[in-house]
Amino acid sequence: MTAGWQDKTWGEIATLEYGKSLRDYIGSSGKFPVFGTNGQIGWHTEALYEEPSVIVGRKGAYRGIHYSRTPFFVIDTAFYLKPKMNFDTKWAYYELLTHDINAMDSGSAIPSTSRDEFYSLDVRVPSIKEQRRIAHILGTLDDKIENNRKTAKTLEAMAQAIFKSWFVDFDPVRAKMAGESPDSICKRLKLTPEILDLFPDRLVDSELGEIPEGWGISPLGDLIELAYGKPLKAENRTQGRVPVYGSNGIIGWHDVKLVNGPGIVVGRKGNPGTVIWVEGEFYPIDTTFYVIPKNGVGLRFLYHALMRHDLTALGADSAVPGLNRNLAYISKQLVPHANLCTAFENLTEILFLTSNNLKKQSMDSIEIRDALLPKLISGDIRVQESTLQIEDTLT
């Protein structure tokens, strides 16, 4: 037994309290997060529990462990943890992540977490000071992961906003038509004079409605090829740094690439029509297409353009939902002048690259956290109080 740690069961140190039914939590302007079995699902004007704590999924095929650092509300598909003794709730969250909650089934028709099984779980309880040190180490990594996620999302939203302004709303063209001065347009829309000069000053009628003068309209099939991914079963993969993509995103890793990045993956089967940007080399499996650009159109422009096509609606006539690429090929796409597309590529490249670097940093942090978590919780690795340095006590 690790010195100073107590062997307990969860039933000795805490109870699982039932959540309550709640309506109108989605889209609410309340300040208290609302949790269900799989995490936060909305907001409410009142809290059910006034302290930070752990939320444990109660109903459903997959039931998760979640943490709220503020007062919160829990609906009736989940429990919340109420201490019977003094412990750090963030440490409790990490300790519970080491257990398989979904294996604690009550045996009812709907998969449900058994409180009796939960209460019988063994837990090794360090001193409150060491609990806080463990929570600090793991929480710092989680904070970095979350901050990187938010920043990456903001950068992606910035690129989307530029695409919409230039190629959907035609803001620079409309500003010119309204007689706004070039200096004012550049300042308001954050353009350089050189980029502003690439936009025409008129809109003309077309089969897609009003479009900037001189811009073209092409079928997607003239701009891209949707190439088939290749089969790669899990048992045939060799663990490496190449992400393997299915129609829902990354499904594993391999040591051999199929496609050089950057690239675009499009869902073909199972979740058809999804559009995923990939910065580095990757391996798309046979439930996906990957995009091969034609006629010099940039990948970043194509990515945002494809996001605006309703590819999901272009289903193949088969039992399994799928994307019919021939229908996708005949969809019409507005095509600006090549030099304007190039300007968009150059302007957004740094946003894409920075976002990707943040995601890589998060992946590294996740690996570190997942490796540390069981060792810190078990006491195999101890954290010194003075420096919060990790001391490995394995012999």
Side-chain angles (χ1 to χ4, degrees):
M1 178 175 175
T2 305
W5 291 39
Q6 301 179 61
D7 287 330
K8 300 278 190 180
T9 64
W10 269 106
E12 292 179 277
I13 70 172
T15 59
L16 287 181
E17 301 293 324
Y18 285 96
K20 292 185 177 180
S21 61
L22 180 67
R23 296 181 180 179
D24 302 326
Y25 52 81
I26 299 176
S28 168
S29 58
K31 67 177 182 178
F32 299 106
V34 177
F35 287 86
T37 197
N38 289 314
Q40 186 177 344
I41 54 176
W43 299 88
H44 191 45
T45 54
E46 298 178 4
L48 179 62
Y49 192 59
E50 295 290 344
E51 302 291 337
S53 193
V54 183
I55 296 89
V56 178
R58 184 174 78 88
K59 293 281 190 181
Y62 175 78
R63 306 181 297 280
I65 303 291
H66 315 283
Y67 182 75
S68 179
R69 64 182 66 194
T70 64
F72 58 92
F73 198 101
V74 179
I75 65 169
D76 51 1
T77 63
F79 298 113
Y80 63 93
L81 196 70
K82 187 174 181 179
K84 293 168 68 175
M85 61 176 282
N86 184 33
F87 59 75
D88 184 90
T89 53
K90 194 64 179 287
W91 163 83
Y93 162 71
Y94 289 116
E95 204 286 336
L96 288 172
L97 287 179
T98 66
H99 299 283
D100 183 7
I101 298 299
N102 291 281
M104 303 175 198
D105 199 330
S106 66
S108 60
I110 300 174
S112 304
T113 300
S114 166
R115 286 208 295 179
D116 288 340
E117 285 193 47
F118 178 89
Y119 290 151
S120 68
L121 283 177
D122 292 327
V123 53
R124 306 189 69 206
V125 184
S127 70
I128 189 68
K129 288 184 178 180
E130 190 155 5
Q131 291 174 33
R132 288 169 181 160
R133 296 197 293 268
I134 291 169
H136 174 81
I137 290 289
L138 297 172
T140 298
L141 288 167
D142 273 343
D143 288 345
K144 180 179 180 181
I145 293 164
E146 179 62 14
N147 289 337
N148 284 351
R149 184 194 67 80
K150 288 180 178 178
T151 303
K153 188 174 181 180
T154 297
L155 294 171
E156 291 164 6
M158 290 171 62
Q160 292 168 10
I162 295 169
F163 183 90
K164 184 174 183 291
S165 176
W166 290 16
F167 305 124
V168 179
D169 297 334
F170 315 133
D171 288 335
V173 179
R174 295 185 188 279
K176 285 185 174 183
M177 292 172 62
E180 188 175 346
S181 71
D183 287 346
S184 175
I185 297 172
C186 289
K187 182 177 181 180
R188 181 170 62 85
L189 299 180
K190 297 180 174 58
L191 302 174
T192 65
E194 293 76 16
I195 290 178
L196 180 60
D197 287 343
L198 299 176
F199 288 90
D201 57 8
R202 290 185 59 210
L203 295 175
V204 297
D205 290 332
S206 76
E207 60 185 298
L208 297 180
E210 285 192 326
I211 65 172
E213 185 178 38
W215 292 14
I217 297 173
S218 295
L220 276 178
D222 289 350
L223 304 176
I224 63 171
E225 176 189 347
L226 292 173
Y228 285 97
K230 291 187 176 181
L232 183 62
K233 294 181 179 180
E235 58 266 29
N236 295 330
R237 299 171 199 158
T238 301
Q239 187 67 25
R241 300 292 293 182
V242 177
V244 179
Y245 279 86
S247 60
N248 286 316
I250 295 176
I251 59 170
W253 300 88
H254 194 41
D255 64 343
V256 176
K257 67 184 178 183
L258 181 63
V259 185
N260 285 316
I264 304 169
V265 175
V266 177
R268 184 177 76 87
K269 291 285 187 181
N271 194 15
T274 55
V275 180
I276 304 166
W277 178 264
V278 186
E279 193 64 49
E281 58 191 21
F282 59 103
Y283 197 112
I285 65 168
D286 53 349
T287 61
T288 69
F289 296 114
Y290 62 94
V291 172
I292 299 176
K294 297 180 180 179
N295 297 319
V297 180
L299 271 173
R300 293 176 180 83
F301 174 87
L302 290 171
Y303 168 70
H304 288 288
L306 288 170
M307 291 279 284
R308 292 188 163 271
H309 283 268
D310 188 9
L311 297 178
T312 304
L314 305 179
D317 186 18
S318 64
V320 180
L323 171 63
N324 185 322
R325 68 173 180 170
N326 291 324
L327 291 178
Y329 284 160
I330 64 176
S331 298
K332 297 299 178 66
Q333 173 60 46
L334 180 64
V335 183
H337 291 303
N339 49 7
L340 188 54
C341 285
T342 299
F344 176 79
E345 295 290 314
N346 294 337
L347 183 62
T348 58
E349 181 180 17
I350 187 63
L351 300 177
F352 277 71
L353 290 174
T354 304
S355 174
N356 185 66
N357 286 337
L358 289 170
K359 291 175 181 178
K360 284 183 177 179
Q361 290 177 25
S362 289
M363 288 173 57
D364 291 340
S365 295
I366 288 170
E367 288 183 4
I368 294 170
R369 180 202 61 195
D370 291 349
L372 284 176
L373 176 58
K375 295 182 179 296
L376 288 171
I377 291 299
S378 66
D380 288 342
I381 290 179
R382 306 290 294 274
V383 185
Q384 293 185 0
E385 183 175 6
S386 58
T387 62
L388 286 178
Q389 292 177 343
I390 298 171
E391 175 188 12
D392 192 341
T393 59
L394 291 175
T395 59

